[in-house]
Amino acid sequence: MADIKEAADALSVTSEGLPTIVWYPGHMAKAKRLISDNLKLVDVVIELVDARIPVASANPMLKELIGRKPRLIVLNKMDLASPAITKAWVSYYRSQDIAAVAVDAAQGRGIKELVKLTAKLAAGKTNRLENKGAKARAPRAMVLGIPNVGKSSLINRLAGKVKAKAENRPGVTRAKQWIHIEGGFDLLDMPGILWPKFDDPMVGLHLSYTGAISDEAIDTEPVVLRLIGWLRENFSRDLINRYKLELGGGESLPEDNVELLELIGRKRGHLEKGGIVNHDKTKKLLLKEFRAGLIGKYTLDLPPDKPEVQETEAENNGTGSKEDSRD
Ligand code: G4P
């Protein structure tokens, strides 16, 4: 699996034990150059973000790299994200005059619309070229995104066969090939690898929750405890249902995240001699089930214009939300 760690220069932790990444300027400049070189070849950029974390999985620098070239933001893994918040994100991007579409590259949902939108965005450029007397050619596009966001899955889905194999270093390229996509454009068979931007510790946290930063690379304890806290604050009903945490009348979930982790571990029988809960197994279980959408379908990054949408979600599924405490 592609991993941000392999794309990074160094993985570090903040004073609170949360993962963060150190990028060396030389490495960054090289990656930027490689991406820029590929960008010159295409009419449209398909920027893939993770629908659960559209902020943490994007790189704001891309806007500057792309310049005036048309861009389509693709919210991938929509099957794992909150449908209402994904809709709100698409509306938000459109309100900013940015084309956007939600897809599930694994199952193929949304792909037809993606193809249609890409062809439409590219048409402006190719029509202009033809008007200037250039020979007609199919519009060209490329896929860009951070490791593990689903670039290869999307290219394979579009190409209809196993084709793309992303290298894990930002911007790395090999010999270029084009795949003709039925419905209107040529796609560079190799995705461009972006890096996430780590100014905000929340970014590292959200990338860890969703598995973009692999668990082997970090200490998962502070990450899982934060995640448990977030779930309890926002979606306690989902936790109770998933782990059958029957509580006595009027009782609520433990306020302490370690206690809650242990309650879940006990319920799942992750016990050692003497009835001590095996933290490691319980943490792995929680991360696995969270990432697979088994506890619920959540979006961790909210659109700037719709901070209340998380609460509506929680109310809809009966959790009864508290304020949005996303850390
Ligand atoms: P990358 O090229 O950007 O690094 O990402 P890649 O396509 O390798 O996808 C990373 C993981 O995300 C893969 O899972 C892939 O199956 C999964 N994935 C991609 N798109 C979607 C989607 O829309 N929905 C869901 N639920 N998953 C998606 P993996 O566990 O690494 O591998 P595998 O399970 O496919 O073997």
Side-chain angles (χ1 to χ4, degrees):
M1 183 181 25
D3 185 336
I4 286 170
K5 175 175 61 79
E6 291 155 39
D9 293 299
L11 201 63
S12 177
V13 285
T14 65
S15 54
E16 290 173 293
L18 301 176
T20 187
I21 282 177
V22 181
W23 305 101
Y24 300 130
H27 184 148
M28 202 69 130
K30 191 171 170 222
K32 264 171 88 172
R33 217 166 33 242
L34 284 164
I35 289 175
S36 298
D37 286 350
N38 280 334
L39 281 172
K40 284 186 199 134
L41 305 173
V42 300
D43 307 309
V44 181
V45 172
I46 300 173
E47 184 192 357
L48 221 53
V49 296
D50 186 322
R52 296 167 294 176
I53 48 168
V55 176
S57 60
N59 186 324
M61 215 184 291
L62 183 62
K63 211 169 139 197
E64 181 196 314
L65 280 172
I66 294 178
R68 288 156 57 92
K69 218 176 271 286
R71 155 168 86 136
L72 173 66
I73 293 190
V74 176
L75 294 141
N76 189 37
K77 308 198 185 186
M78 71 184 291
D79 54 308
L80 300 175
S82 146
I85 306 181
T86 300
K87 229 167 120 189
W89 268 111
V90 171
S91 311
Y92 169 74
Y93 289 127
R94 290 182 182 166
S95 76
Q96 305 292 303
D97 273 334
I98 303 169
V101 63
V103 308
D104 168 356
Q107 299 300 320
R109 244 179 101 198
I111 298 295
K112 270 196 190 140
E113 200 189 343
L114 182 156
V115 171
K116 218 168 75 192
L117 280 170
T118 308
K120 197 171 135 201
L121 284 171
K125 169 81 179 291
T126 41
N127 289 347
R128 252 193 333 273
L129 289 175
E130 278 175 50
N131 289 342
K132 282 188 189 161
K135 210 170 139 231
R137 67 158 171 83
R140 294 185 196 134
M142 76 177 289
V143 171
L144 276 172
I146 67 164
N148 208 32
V149 73
K151 298 178 296 299
S152 309
S153 306
L154 176 66
I155 295 179
N156 291 337
R157 173 64 55 184
L158 287 166
K161 55 188 172 238
V162 177
K163 260 257 173 225
K165 180 92 181 72
E167 293 232 17
N168 293 335
R169 281 171 294 144
V172 162
T173 55
R174 53 175 164 73
K176 291 173 187 64
Q177 283 180 21
W178 298 89
I179 312 162
H180 184 68
I181 308 300
E182 210 55 52
F185 63 93
D186 287 347
L187 182 71
L188 193 59
D189 84 334
M190 242 215 350
I193 316 243
L194 283 176
W195 55 96
K197 204 161 177 287
F198 268 81
D199 291 352
D200 179 350
M202 198 63 77
V203 169
L205 199 58
H206 289 182
L207 290 167
S208 310
Y209 287 171
T210 52
I213 297 177
S214 82
D215 301 336
E216 288 73 42
I218 53 164
D219 172 14
T220 54
E221 183 92 13
V223 170
V224 173
L225 292 180
R226 293 269 191 137
L227 177 61
I228 288 182
W230 183 83
L231 286 166
R232 187 198 48 242
E233 291 275 334
N234 295 288
F235 297 98
S236 55
R237 176 57 49 197
D238 294 349
L239 271 183
I240 293 167
N241 290 344
R242 178 76 198 162
Y243 299 107
K244 308 205 171 11
L245 309 174
E246 300 91 15
L247 303 162
E251 229 182 292
S252 54
L253 290 175
E255 283 292 317
D256 184 81
N257 295 337
V258 177
E259 254 181 68
L260 185 48
L261 177 86
E262 292 187 347
L263 183 61
I264 292 167
R266 214 166 291 123
K267 278 287 169 185
R268 282 299 174 97
H270 290 332
L271 297 173
E272 290 170 0
K273 263 192 225 141
I276 297 165
V277 174
N278 184 320
H279 276 215
D280 208 42
K281 269 193 178 167
T282 313
K283 283 187 293 186
K284 283 197 175 114
L285 165 91
L286 262 159
L287 286 174
K288 191 165 160 234
E289 299 204 339
F290 178 82
R291 289 169 188 165
L294 296 173
I295 305 173
K297 292 171 189 242
Y298 307 120
T299 303
L300 296 145
D301 294 335
L302 306 181
D305 60 342
K306 291 262 172 39
E308 74 287 353
V309 71
Q310 188 84 272
E311 292 180 22
T312 320
E313 275 283 287
E315 278 156 19
N316 284 346
N317 76 4
T319 304
S321 85
K322 293 183 192 166
E323 65 195 83
D324 174 34
S325 56
R326 292 192 289 144
D327 58 348

